[in-house]
């Protein structure tokens, strides 16, 4: 269901013709952005998170051929949506121009920014246009319910955005303004300062790191609130999930989106991964021998920063001109089919942590990552020694690596006699 949390864009070069629509949306609590469609008034950068787009089929293009009309309309959509695919729905303001709609959709498909669905209607013309538009919105909502995955997306965004809004409102209303905004800002600065110092366990640094640390503390609490609200939500959705095999490429892309960050930054951070092109020969030989003896072409030796985040933030690591970091080494193996993955899955060792197939866009290949807990090492780096980080494992997965590494280090072993 479309609510005030989604971005709704209305494009029409005649404001009076869409005024009833805008009024109906506002009455339902749905905020929207109105654009004339003229190039000079289109956004300099595409909007993020557009879900519903009302598009006038004419836009001052009556004198053009259907193909030129469609090209103009597709260019407007591209300026609004951007060049990257995103799930959005188009309502075309027309009842008859099927050729133009067909051409617009073809242009958008060529640019890989097709909508997930579309409808077309005549603009409201009756004297009671508000009622007409209200019925139109009901039809759009009914269509979104039929598009079960799109309806799921809307439900997820509604829950997420409501949780964020409620969280922010409660936290930033903890201090009353009492009509004095300067006083309110000062008191909030004190509260956020305490939050930042409690997150790090240190005094304030008096720089932007304090602001980030306060946000990180809030993010931890917000994450717990989101999980709580998801569990408590009564989802009125007709969608049923399916458990069926998916293509390896799709699976790898999903794993990359959910578990990896391909913009890790230059600083040493827990979970960051680098590729070593000139590894120690003994390390290289040991990794192949103990992890995966089959020397697959294109296999890379990589390291992961396992120094805890708090140690890095508070400089608790060993340092003496250079900094000492803890590294876990492993193999990044390119995979091309399920049989190869099944073969790798047969490597069942307590000493190995496996990261399932993921898509590495820079190399346009699918990889599996295998870390060996026995490779835990220390390195001494100054700022010039820090390698380029290719990507990072997101925090919850990195914590899993860290937890199993700690368990491996502390494992006593079981010496009970087994019946043979």
């Amino acid at each position: 269901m479309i609510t005030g949390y989604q971005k709704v864009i209305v494009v029409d070069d005649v404001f009076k013709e869409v005024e009833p629509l805008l009024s109906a949306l506002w009455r339902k609590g749905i905020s929207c952005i109105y654009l004339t469609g003229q190039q000079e008034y289109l956004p300099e950068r595409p909007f993020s998170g557009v879900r519903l787009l009302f598009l006038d089929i004419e836009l001052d293009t009556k004198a053009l051929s259907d193909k030129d009309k469609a090209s103009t309309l597709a260019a407007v959509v591209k300026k609004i949506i951007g060049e990257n695919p995103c799930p959005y729905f188009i309502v075309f303001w027309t009842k008859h121009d099927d050729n133009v709609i067909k051409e617009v959709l073809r242009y958008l498909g060529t640019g890989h920014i097709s909508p997930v669905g579309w409808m077309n209607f005549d603009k409201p013309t009756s004297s009671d246009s508000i009622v007409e538009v209200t019925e139109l919105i009901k039809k759009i909502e009914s269509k979104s319910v039929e598009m079960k995955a799109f309806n799921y997306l809307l439900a997820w965004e509604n829950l997420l955005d409501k949780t964020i809004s409620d969280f922010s409102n409660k936290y930033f209303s903890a201090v009353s303004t009492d009509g004095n905004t300067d006083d309110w800002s000062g008191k909030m600065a004190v509260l956020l300062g305490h939050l930042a110092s409690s997150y790090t366990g240190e005094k304030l640094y008096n720089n932007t790191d304090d602001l980030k640390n306060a946000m990180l503390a809030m993010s931890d609490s917000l994450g717990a609130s989101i999980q709580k609200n998801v569990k408590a939500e009564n989802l009125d959705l007709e969608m049923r999930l399916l458990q069926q095999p998916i293509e390896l490429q799709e699976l790898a892309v999903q794993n990359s989106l959910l578990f990896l960050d391909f913009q890790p930054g230059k600083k040493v951070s827990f979970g960051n991964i680098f590729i070593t092109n000139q590894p120690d020969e003994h390390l290289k030989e040991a990794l192949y021998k103990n992890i995966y003896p089959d020397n697959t072409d294109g296999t890379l030796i990589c390291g992961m920063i396992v120094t805890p985040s708090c140690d890095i933030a508070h400089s608790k690591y060993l340092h003496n001109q250079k900094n000492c970091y803890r590294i876990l080494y492993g193999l990044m193996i390119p995979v091309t089919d399920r049989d190869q993955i099944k073969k790798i899955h047969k490597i069942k060792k307590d000493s190995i942590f496996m990261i399932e197939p993921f898509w590495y866009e820079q190399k346009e290949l699918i990889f599996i990552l295998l870390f060996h807990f026995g490779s835990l090492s220390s390195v001494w780096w100054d700022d010039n020694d820090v390698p380029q980080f290719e990507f990072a494992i997101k925090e919850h997965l990195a914590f899993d690596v860290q937890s199993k590494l700690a368990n491996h280090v502390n494992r006593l072993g079981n010496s009970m006699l087994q019946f043979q």
Side-chain angles (χ1 to χ4, degrees), residues 309-322:
S309 298
C310 60
D311 285 8
I312 295 173
H314 308 148
S315 298
K316 291 181 181 177
Y317 45 75
L318 197 62
H319 53 278
N320 179 20
Q321 294 181 331
K322 290 190 175 186

Side-chain angles (χ1 to χ4, degrees), residues 75-90:
V76 169
V77 174
K78 187 175 180 181
K79 286 284 286 184
I80 293 169
I81 300 297
E83 296 184 355
N84 296 318
C86 77
Y88 69 102
F89 189 92
I90 293 185

Side-chain angles (χ1 to χ4, degrees), residues 286-345:
L287 289 174
Y288 277 111
K289 181 178 180 181
N290 292 277
I291 296 180
Y292 193 63
D294 292 359
N295 190 349
T296 304
D297 287 343
T299 295
L300 304 169
I301 294 177
C302 60
M304 171 182 167
I305 306 293
V306 291
T307 303
S309 298
C310 60
D311 285 8
I312 295 173
H314 308 148
S315 298
K316 291 181 181 177
Y317 45 75
L318 197 62
H319 53 278
N320 179 20
Q321 294 181 331
K322 290 190 175 186
N323 301 322
C324 182
Y325 299 106
R326 304 291 278 167
I327 309 292
L328 194 64
Y329 288 99
L331 298 178
M332 207 161 104
I333 305 170
V335 293
T336 55
D337 56 60
R338 291 184 182 274
D339 289 338
Q340 186 184 4
I341 294 172
K342 287 178 182 178
K343 186 177 179 182
I344 294 173
H345 278 170

Side-chain angles (χ1 to χ4, degrees), residues 260 268-276 301-308 312 325-331 353 355 369-373 375-379 381 387 389 391-403 405:
L260 303 179
V268 176
S269 299
F270 173 52
N272 278 11
I273 288 177
F274 62 92
I275 293 170
T276 173
I301 294 177
C302 60
M304 171 182 167
I305 306 293
V306 291
T307 303
I312 295 173
Y325 299 106
R326 304 291 278 167
I327 309 292
L328 194 64
Y329 288 99
L331 298 178
F353 188 96
I355 293 178
L369 250 173
L370 297 163
F371 290 109
H372 197 292
F373 293 137
S375 70
L376 182 63
S377 308
S378 297
V379 296
W381 289 340
F389 296 112
F391 55 91
I393 299 176
K394 290 187 178 178
E395 196 170 67
H396 55 291
L397 184 57
F399 279 143
D400 193 30
V401 175
Q402 192 179 57
S403 174
L405 172 61

Side-chain angles (χ1 to χ4, degrees), residues 171-221:
Y171 188 82
F172 286 92
S173 297
V175 174
S176 174
T177 59
D178 292 328
N180 189 332
T181 55
D182 290 338
D183 188 47
W184 176 78
S185 291
K187 288 179 179 178
M188 284 307 307
V190 172
L191 279 183
L192 292 168
H194 280 280
L195 194 62
S197 60
S198 67
Y199 181 79
T200 61
E202 300 283 333
K203 292 182 179 180
L204 295 179
Y205 303 125
N206 294 317
N207 57 33
T208 54
D209 286 345
D210 293 334
L211 304 177
K212 290 180 181 178
N213 289 329
M215 287 184 178
L216 287 169
M218 293 174 70
S219 299
D220 287 345
S221 180

